[in-house]
Amino acid sequence: MASPILSAFAAIRNHLTANGTHKSAKSILFVILKDLNYLLRSVWLFFPPILFLLVCYQVFWNLSQGQDVLVSVFEDRFTFIRFMLAHTLWVFMTWYTSRLLSYAKEKNNPVHLPQILFTHIPRILGFMCYTIVLLAFIRSTKSLTRQSSGYYSLLLWLSLFYYVFLNWLAGKIKTYSIRVLALSLPVILVILVTIGASNFYPWTIISVLAFMQVYFVFFVVGRRRIIEQKNAEHKEAKTEGLVARLANFFMVPPNERIVFVFFNICATIFLFFYILCFESLSFALWVRTCTLVFLAFSFLVGITNIISFFSVKYSISFHIILITLAFITGKVESYRVELGPKKNPSAQFSQRLDLKTYFDHWLGQRSNELNNAADNSYPVFLVMANGGASRSGYWVASVLSKLEDSTKGNFSHHLFCLSGASGGSLGNATFFSLLRYKDQLPKSDTANLEASKKYLQSDFLTFTLANMLGPDYFRHLYPINLFKTNRANALIRSIEEAPKDNVLLKDKLGDGFSEFVTKKGDTAYNLPILFINSTRMQDGAPSVISNILINSSIYNGRVDVLNLLDSNQEMKLSTAVELGASFPYVCPANRIDYTSPTGKVYSNYFVDGGYFDNSGAGVVHETILELLQVMNDTTNSNISRYKNKIQFYVVHILNDPFGSTPLNPVGSIRNDLAAPLITLAGSYGTQTSTNDRRLVKYLQLIYSSPNHYIPINLYRERDSVVFSMNWVISRKTLGNMDLRLNESDTLKKLIHFINASPK
């Protein structure tokens, strides 16, 4: 088969030199514009697989989350085997469904697109499935991570010439060799996967993928030659039976039906596994994230290409029809918060302690040591934790657990409250649960740290992503909820059930809030205040889920989410964490209906607390303001007598890169079209940092010292190391986080300070 590039050059030469005369510049321009029109029409025809290639490029090249997921493939040979199968399916599905689309367009081609586009674009799409992932793997290896993205982008474009070369080389192989290659596909795949699994090194895996890419080109070119040879010999397949009728419907040539049958068998088998991923949490965890992504890509690109096939076959834009249908039928509410009944109906959220009463009881439990303490010597710690998915959760819980272990419990004795958003709330909830179940911890100097790490190294993403790319992808096309689980509920289930069975906190975050809220008259409550920050979507109102009452006059009109529930409704700790971590598009806004005393129903939708305050600084600041005011009130001697002994310290656990932000030009078009979005995105982080600085200034004002604000950041200034912000983290990244924990000088100083404090 002639090279497509050479054929294209020949066509241009013949066109420009027709009748022995050169065309005018106007005619040349017309030819170029006509060819460009062909190319753009082809891009539109094959838009679904192109879109998924762009998504793959964005996720695994430009997002640290995707890069970290790729790194995890290097860490387990069985993960690699599953990944290879899923990726091969994606390649096959992209190429073959695009080929079916080409058949339909060839039969119904009013614009007469060149045959070369029908032949080579499906192949190039499958070829690029390998190229993008291969280069992403190379970027993720330690030795080449410092290469600029421009270098890899150049390699990406140059790979098209590599495809041309392989296509030419495959055309030189004899037909019988091609038959052997076609029949040996399953055997070669097994051998390559076995080699990669037995010699488990990054470059071995990359070499296996590179070989598979070469094999793919040889396979598709050889397949075409075999079909052409059969047509030349007038050998046609039988035209009877169900397979023949299906093949005729999809316009598959008679001599290609064996590939068509093989395609449908593979699609059916893997469809079963795809459904299992969003129906079974345990199976999704076994599959792992990277495999799940390519499994989902396979079926989504297959489905969208089949829709395009019907659009071409019947000259009706079914994509537009389905999108319109989604807007019509998508009014059914799919994302209601699941609120079960309470185990103890008498535990009413309206009977929680207010801040003042809780503080009075908290001081009463420490009255002996407070009476014996010198002035300004008794530290009271208020923790606030920045969001950041599992990265934040792991870092926050590790810091708090190390403080607890290294001070032999003295830290939690001086701990007053935990405040955070998103992953920071998960870290706080983890440590809070460890304090609840401390009697079940093993007797060890690192018991809290080991328990928190085992829990938070769990995979909270795969089952969530399976539902996002599974039923949630099609949820708005049917007017009823066929699937009970959605991606919000999937994250909640993962928080509860994803850890291994030997992990202490497995299922523990599934406890209801009514089981550990403060209660009026209970002076022996020995847990800190827990503030889980959220944001109400409709008006951006800051909202809080807490084990104490949230007085709107103290907390500046913040919504007390638990007060929205009916008296018999329960909210689990895992649900509260998810409400504070609903950052689209991984998790949607979740709805809670509140019935007012007049009977009117108000729908409240809650999203990530980071939209308003990503550190929880606001509620901590308001807490300190109220406590200082209460201590200065001499009418309450139980509290005011300790005002000269207590010192408030804010421990701020961060996991954000810091340093100056480059202020580069944005361009006129981007300025006109995207200025509001860019500004809103920038204000998202600036609002949090402004709240943080306001709190720091206030602490310096009342104490005339910077030592009462203690930042413990995972990152260093202008850090070259990247820690992925995701709901699943590779072992390599977890190991780097553990190193930072052991190297933190601020943490070491704080441990020394706590050990020297009154006990």
Side-chain angles (χ1 to χ4, degrees):
M1 182 179 292
S3 164
I5 297 296
L6 295 177
S7 300
F9 277 125
I12 293 173
R13 182 193 61 201
N14 294 335
H15 189 80
L16 296 179
T17 58
N19 300 323
T21 59
H22 287 278
K23 295 284 184 177
S24 65
K26 184 177 181 181
S27 297
I28 295 174
L29 178 61
F30 175 78
V31 170
I32 294 174
L33 291 177
K34 185 178 180 180
D35 291 341
L36 181 61
N37 178 55
Y38 286 154
L39 181 61
L40 292 177
R41 286 177 177 271
S42 300
V43 169
W44 179 248
L45 176 65
F46 298 105
F47 180 74
I50 292 174
L51 176 62
F52 281 98
L53 282 172
L54 292 175
V55 171
C56 183
Y57 170 84
Q58 177 66 22
V59 169
F60 295 114
W61 281 48
N62 299 327
L63 297 180
S64 62
Q65 293 92 330
Q67 294 167 7
D68 193 59
V69 165
L70 277 185
V71 168
S72 67
V73 176
F74 294 143
E75 297 174 345
D76 179 74
R77 63 190 66 217
F78 296 107
T79 300
F80 164 69
I81 294 173
R82 293 189 287 267
F83 158 78
M84 279 296 301
L85 291 172
H87 183 267
T88 303
L89 178 67
W90 180 45
V91 174
F92 185 60
M93 193 73 69
T94 298
W95 161 68
Y96 194 69
T97 57
S98 297
R99 189 67 192 129
L100 292 178
L101 189 55
S102 293
Y103 292 148
K105 195 64 176 176
E106 284 181 274
K107 298 290 178 64
N108 182 16
N109 185 13
V111 294
H112 304 293
L113 293 177
Q115 177 64 37
I116 193 172
L117 297 178
F118 291 133
T119 300
H120 288 284
I121 287 184
R123 298 180 186 177
I124 291 173
L125 292 174
F127 180 84
M128 295 303 288
C129 290
Y130 281 109
T131 302
I132 291 174
V133 174
L134 262 172
L135 292 177
F137 267 124
I138 294 173
R139 292 185 71 191
S140 68
T141 58
K142 185 176 181 181
S143 58
L144 293 178
T145 50
R146 296 181 183 177
Q147 295 284 359
S148 66
S149 59
Y151 171 80
Y152 290 97
S153 298
L154 177 62
L155 290 177
L156 183 62
W157 287 109
L158 290 176
S159 68
L160 292 175
F161 294 95
Y162 180 51
Y163 163 78
V164 172
F165 169 73
L166 291 177
N167 190 81
W168 170 81
L169 187 62
K172 299 297 182 180
I173 297 179
K174 295 181 179 180
T175 305
Y176 74 89
S177 301
I178 292 295
R179 292 178 184 272
V180 172
L181 282 173
L183 294 174
S184 62
L185 172 61
V187 178
I188 290 178
L189 183 59
V190 170
I191 293 174
L192 290 175
V193 170
T194 304
I195 292 173
S198 59
N199 300 277
F200 200 67
Y201 301 101
W203 283 104
T204 305
I205 295 174
I206 291 170
S207 300
V208 169
L209 277 173
F211 190 93
M212 285 297 298
Q213 183 179 40
V214 174
Y215 181 86
F216 166 75
V217 176
F218 278 54
F219 175 78
V220 295
V221 172
R223 159 198 159 276
R224 183 72 176 181
R225 288 178 59 192
I226 292 173
I227 292 174
E228 290 175 348
Q229 184 181 31
K230 285 185 176 181
N231 290 336
E233 297 172 355
H234 303 288
K235 294 181 179 180
E236 293 190 1
K238 295 180 180 180
T239 58
E240 301 175 356
L242 177 62
V243 172
R245 288 195 294 271
L246 282 174
N248 290 335
F249 177 83
F250 284 100
M251 303 177 184
V252 177
N255 290 315
E256 196 181 320
R257 287 175 187 168
I258 187 171
V259 179
F260 180 73
V261 171
F262 180 71
F263 162 76
N264 281 281
I265 291 173
C266 290
T268 303
I269 293 173
F270 282 95
L271 177 61
F272 172 74
F273 293 120
Y274 179 52
I275 294 173
L276 273 181
C277 285
F278 56 79
E279 286 292 328
S280 169
L281 172 62
S282 58
F283 185 79
L285 295 176
W286 179 81
V287 165
R288 304 294 295 272
T289 306
C290 201
T291 305
L292 182 277
V293 168
F294 288 108
L295 192 61
F297 280 6
S298 301
F299 286 100
L300 294 179
V301 75
I303 289 170
T304 50
N305 261 349
I306 294 302
I307 294 172
S308 296
F309 171 88
F310 283 106
S311 298
V312 171
K313 184 178 177 69
Y314 296 107
S315 299
I316 299 173
S317 181
F318 284 101
H319 286 292
I320 300 298
I321 293 175
L322 291 174
I323 292 173
T324 304
L325 179 64
F327 277 97
I328 294 174
T329 61
K331 296 181 180 180
V332 177
E333 185 60 68
S334 301
Y335 305 115
R336 291 181 184 271
V337 177
E338 289 188 351
L339 302 169
K342 295 175 181 174
K343 289 183 179 180
N344 181 10
S346 64
Q348 296 296 310
F349 293 134
S350 60
Q351 299 300 307
R352 288 170 290 165
L353 299 178
D354 59 22
L355 178 61
K356 178 181 176 181
T357 307
Y358 175 87
F359 188 45
D360 188 7
H361 293 172
W362 192 87
L363 293 174
Q365 294 171 3
R366 295 154 179 82
S367 58
N368 290 335
E369 57 207 75
L370 280 165
N371 291 330
N372 297 327
D375 286 351
N376 301 324
S377 67
Y378 197 88
V380 176
F381 295 107
L382 301 93
V383 171
M384 57 189 202
N386 281 32
S390 285
R391 177 184 75 185
S392 172
Y394 189 88
W395 178 244
V396 169
S398 295
V399 169
L400 296 176
S401 297
K402 189 172 180 66
L403 286 171
E404 183 73 357
D405 289 333
S406 301
T407 61
K408 301 189 183 303
N410 201 29
F411 169 68
S412 62
H413 191 66
H414 289 265
L415 177 62
F416 186 77
C417 75
L418 298 161
S419 177
S422 190
S425 291
L426 177 61
N428 285 341
T430 299
F431 183 68
F432 183 89
S433 297
L434 288 175
L435 295 180
R436 284 189 66 208
Y437 293 100
K438 62 182 179 181
D439 293 339
Q440 298 183 25
L441 286 168
K443 304 301 179 184
S444 168
D445 292 338
T446 59
N448 286 278
L449 182 59
E450 293 301 319
S452 64
K453 287 167 61 175
K454 286 180 180 178
Y455 170 71
L456 286 163
Q457 67 187 11
S458 304
D459 180 357
F460 303 126
L461 178 65
T462 304
F463 187 55
T464 306
L465 204 60
N467 280 271
M468 177 181 174
L469 298 176
D472 281 13
Y473 194 87
F474 307 99
R475 185 173 299 277
H476 305 298
L477 292 176
Y478 36 84
I480 58 175
N481 288 325
L482 297 179
F483 297 93
K484 181 180 180 181
T485 302
N486 54 56
R487 60 190 190 274
N489 295 335
L491 179 57
I492 293 171
R493 279 192 60 191
S494 297
I495 290 173
E496 298 172 14
E497 303 173 24
K500 297 179 180 178
D501 292 336
N502 62 349
V503 175
L504 171 65
L505 291 183
K506 183 180 177 68
D507 295 325
K508 296 294 192 296
L509 271 72
D511 293 348
F513 251 85
S514 66
E515 298 177 43
F516 56 81
V517 293
T518 57
K519 301 179 182 66
K520 288 185 178 180
D522 184 3
T523 60
Y525 190 85
N526 59 359
L527 292 170
I529 298 173
L530 180 63
F531 295 118
I532 297 176
N533 292 274
S534 185
T535 308
R536 189 161 59 191
M537 181 184 69
Q538 294 101 314
D539 57 0
S543 309
V544 182
I545 307 167
S546 178
N547 52 348
I548 67 167
L549 276 173
I550 303 300
N551 190 311
S552 61
S553 62
I554 296 174
Y555 291 105
N556 291 329
R558 296 177 190 271
V559 178
D560 188 342
V561 178
L562 293 182
N563 268 349
L564 301 177
L565 309 187
D566 292 340
S567 59
N568 63 336
Q569 288 182 321
E570 176 70 282
M571 178 182 289
K572 297 183 293 185
L573 179 56
S574 55
T575 302
V577 169
E578 192 277 333
L579 283 181
S582 296
F583 193 81
Y585 291 94
V586 174
C587 280
N590 287 272
R591 173 176 167 180
I592 296 178
D593 287 338
Y594 166 67
T595 305
S596 69
T598 61
K600 187 173 183 180
V601 177
Y602 296 90
S603 297
N604 299 265
Y605 290 83
F606 294 100
V607 292
D608 197 298
Y611 280 105
F612 189 87
D613 182 1
N614 195 44
S615 66
V619 74
V620 169
H621 192 172
E622 291 153 5
T623 297
I624 294 175
L625 284 170
E626 177 66 14
L627 295 182
L628 289 174
Q629 183 175 341
V630 169
M631 287 194 296
N632 287 324
D633 182 6
T634 57
T635 60
N636 191 333
S637 59
N638 289 338
I639 298 177
S640 61
R641 59 179 171 164
Y642 298 126
K643 72 175 184 177
N644 293 327
K645 297 187 176 186
I646 285 177
Q647 297 269 298
F648 292 114
Y649 292 85
V650 172
V651 179
H652 188 184
I653 307 175
L654 306 96
N655 64 100
D656 309 311
F658 61 99
S660 59
T661 302
L663 302 175
N664 300 320
V666 297
S668 298
I669 294 180
R670 192 179 178 198
N671 187 356
D672 286 336
L673 297 179
L677 298 177
I678 296 171
T679 305
L680 287 172
S683 64
Y684 166 75
T686 304
Q687 181 168 271
T688 292
S689 59
T690 300
N691 286 337
D692 297 345
R693 286 193 293 268
R694 186 182 295 118
L695 175 58
V696 173
K697 291 281 187 182
Y698 179 70
L699 290 171
Q700 291 175 351
L701 177 65
I702 61 176
Y703 292 115
S704 302
S705 168
N707 298 329
H708 288 257
Y709 172 74
I710 307 169
I712 304 175
N713 201 339
L714 172 64
Y715 278 91
R716 298 165 181 166
E717 188 171 5
R718 302 186 184 280
D719 209 335
S720 60
V721 179
V722 176
F723 298 93
S724 170
M725 184 182 70
N726 207 351
W727 286 113
V728 63
I729 309 177
S730 68
R731 292 200 295 266
K732 178 181 177 181
T733 300
L734 292 175
N736 289 335
M737 294 173 74
D738 291 339
L739 288 175
R740 291 292 169 91
L741 183 72
N742 296 326
E743 294 170 354
S744 174
D745 291 332
T746 305
L747 187 57
K748 292 175 183 177
K749 292 177 181 177
L750 180 56
I751 291 171
H752 177 75
F753 173 69
I754 296 173
N755 283 328
S757 301
K759 297 179 174 61

